[in-house]
Structure formats: structure tokens, C-alpha cells
Amino acid sequence: MLTVLSPIFALLAAATNALGTVMQRRAAILVPQSNALRIGLMWDLLRTPVWLLGIGGVVLSAMFQGAALATGALAIVQPLFMLELPFVLLLASVVFGRPLPRAGWLPVAGIAVGLGLALFAAAPTGGTPRVPAARWTAVGTCCLLAVAVLCSVAVKLPNGPGRAACLGSAAAVSYSLTAALMKSSTVILSRQGMSAFFAAWQTYAFAALGVCALFLLENAMQSGPLVASQPALTLGDTLVSLTLGVTLYGERLRGGWWLTLQVFGLALVAYGVTRLSRQHLIPAMT
């Protein structure tokens, strides 16, 4: 039963996060622009009602994501988040009054078919809910270093596709590590109760990292067009999460000739994400 609930929760998380993304994108257009990674952006957004609606979607998404991670493997839950992009563009077609053209439905099908094929071929199994501290330290350090490098490159670039892609990738790594930490804390909650949940360092780590990821996402959406930031965020989150599922939780993916189907499925997803991002339903920054 739990294995059935997990993908359902993951799909609900993708849909509500898409709502949050569209609302945040609209808010990012309304606030003052800047070439810097400025903290003041968050204060400007807090005074924008549509952004608060977007945060409501993010909060709901986090709740569904926590439920999905508590009942399923990281390597299954996070890849399903790729469906956020079709949800984003469909919602954007309503919010921004730009209907998805017929040509947009082919990449939507590519994402759905490719994702299903990749997950079927990978068939993630196994895994342990307990991760040694040394492994957390090693993996966490690598992820944070990657975020630092991507941000240092981004701040040297002007607003545009390159900057948006770097910040989107940094947000992707942050969100993946946040999901890994959230999985650990939700397991603690389900097995040991509320007191253990609030006593666990993972709870505070995923909360703090989640805020940092949100900050990077807001700056990515304000730095350049969706065609640059969204594929980096969507594909990056999926690939890093698959890696974390294997390295942190010991989840196993099928090898051998199944790898060919996995790569083919991911190629279909990459095609769909890139093509969908080029459907200019969400206005780029000027």
C-alpha cells in the first residue's frame, strides 16, 4: 500500500510546487530588478501578495513531498518531480494568458513516457533509512561545494541564460540534498515520534537548506528566461537525487542492458524539458 501512496504523494507535490513556481515567477516580475544576489529581494517578495500565494503552494508541496519520502525511495520520489514542468506551463498558460500550442503537447508526452521508461528500467529497490554520520558529512560537503562553485560562477555573469542556468543548477543540488535530509527526518518522525523529530539535526538542516534553496530559486527565476533555469533545476534535481539515493541510502538501480533503456528514457525527458521550456508561456525578464 505504501509503495502505491508514495508516487501519488509525489505527483501531488509536483502539482502544488508548480502552482508555487508560477506564482513566484509572476511575483519576480513585479519586484525591482538587480544583477546581484541580494537579500533584499526576499523582503520585496514578502510584500507581494501573489508571492505569498506561491509560498502556500510550496508549503503544501513540502508536506506532500515529506509523505512521499516517508513511504517510498528517494530515487523514485524525486524523479517524479520532473512532471512539475508540464504542470508549470499548463498553469502558466492560464495565469499569463498564453495557451500551450499544439506543438507543446509532444514534449509533454516525451517527459511522461521518458520518465515512466527510465523508472521502469531503473526499478529502484532496497535502501536503508539509517545513514552513518561520516557518509552525511562526505556527501553534504560535496553538495555544498558544488553549490558554492555554481553561485561563484553565476555572480560573475550578467542576467541571462548562463546566470539563470547556474543558479538553477545550484538550486537543484540544494533541493536534492534537502529532500535527502527530509527523508531521514520523516523516517525518524514515523518511527520515534515528534520529540525525536525535533531533536534530530536533520530536521533543522533540511529546514535551513530549504530556505537557501528557495533563495537560489528566486534569484534564478529573476536572472533569466525559464528556458535556461527550469531544465537545469528539473533535470539537475532528478540526477542528483538519484545519486543521493544510491550513495546515501544504498538504493539499488538495475544495471546491465537496462542502462540503455534508462539513458533513452532520460534522453526523452531531456528533449521534452528543453522543448517545453521554449514554449514562452512565462514571460522572461527584461
Side-chain angles (χ1 to χ4, degrees), residues 123-141:
T125 57
T128 174
R130 295 187 177 181
V131 179
R135 196 182 302 169
W136 272 120
T137 301
V139 172
T141 299

Side-chain angles (χ1 to χ4, degrees), residues 25 85-86 88-93 96 98-108 111 225-228 230-231 271-284:
R25 178 62 176 176
L85 181 56
V88 163
L89 295 182
L90 290 172
L91 287 170
S93 68
F96 294 99
R98 299 183 181 182
L100 185 66
R102 291 183 180 179
W105 290 105
L106 181 59
V108 167
I111 293 175
L226 187 71
V227 67
Q230 193 65 38
Y271 161 80
V273 168
T274 303
R275 287 293 302 273
L276 264 187
S277 297
R278 295 180 187 278
Q279 305 295 327
H280 299 298
L281 301 177
I282 300 183

